[in-house]
């Protein structure tokens, strides 16, 4: 049995957590993505999926409490902490034609008397931007926060 020296281990506070709490972000929302050109300099335009650049979120700069680049992101991802009551302007593009094969394609499914079209599930639907286990997915099949490509 090891002898106790009576010394407590040094436990340091996380500097990011201290910074965030100092800025009052306890109830903030967190958005991750890639900052792109904005139509109005009062706003930041965030693209959460590089494969769908028609989809974006405009965030009033005054509502951003803290921003930081994601460590080790070779693509330039950012994390934004924004006020909880921020009004976001979301743009989504929808295409009329769904792909007929591959990721995101629709297949006809019959369950009982119900006849419907459902998206196929492929692991390639997910885009993992893995840096300290942050990932952005546009699918519902991702089960972990970090999926290596």
């Amino acid at each position: 049995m090891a002898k106790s020296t009576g010394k407590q281990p040094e436990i340091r506070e996380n500097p990011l957590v201290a910074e965030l709490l100092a800025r009052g972000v306890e109830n903030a929302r967190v958005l991750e993505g890639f900052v792109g050109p904005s139509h109005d300099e009062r706003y930041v335009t965030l693209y959460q999926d590089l494969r769908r650049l028609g989809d974006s979120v405009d965030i009033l700069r005054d509502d951003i409490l803290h921003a930081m680049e994601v460590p080790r992101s070779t693509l330039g991802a950012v994390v934004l902490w924004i006020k909880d009551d921020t009004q976001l302007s979301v743009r989504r593009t929808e295409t009329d034609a769904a792909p007929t094969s591959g990721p995101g394609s629709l297949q006809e499914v019959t369950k009982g008397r119900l006849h419907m079209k459902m998206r196929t599930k492929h692991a390639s639907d997910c885009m993992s931007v893995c840096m300290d286990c942050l990932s952005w997915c546009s699918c519902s099949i991702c089960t972990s926060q970090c999926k290596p490509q």
Side-chain angles (χ1 to χ4, degrees), residues 16-68:
L16 175 59
V17 171
E19 170 83 17
L20 293 172
L21 291 174
R23 291 177 181 258
V25 299
E26 293 89 351
N27 297 317
R29 289 195 271 177
V30 178
L31 296 176
E32 300 105 2
F34 306 88
V35 176
S38 180
H39 301 292
D40 185 335
E41 64 185 38
R42 296 175 301 152
Y43 290 85
V44 169
T45 301
L46 191 70
Y47 296 85
Q48 293 183 293
D49 187 338
L50 292 177
R51 294 171 299 151
R52 294 188 53 92
L53 293 178
D55 297 351
S56 63
V57 179
D58 285 332
I59 307 148
L60 193 61
R61 286 182 186 271
D62 290 342
D63 288 342
I64 298 172
L65 300 169
H66 187 68
M68 69 175 278

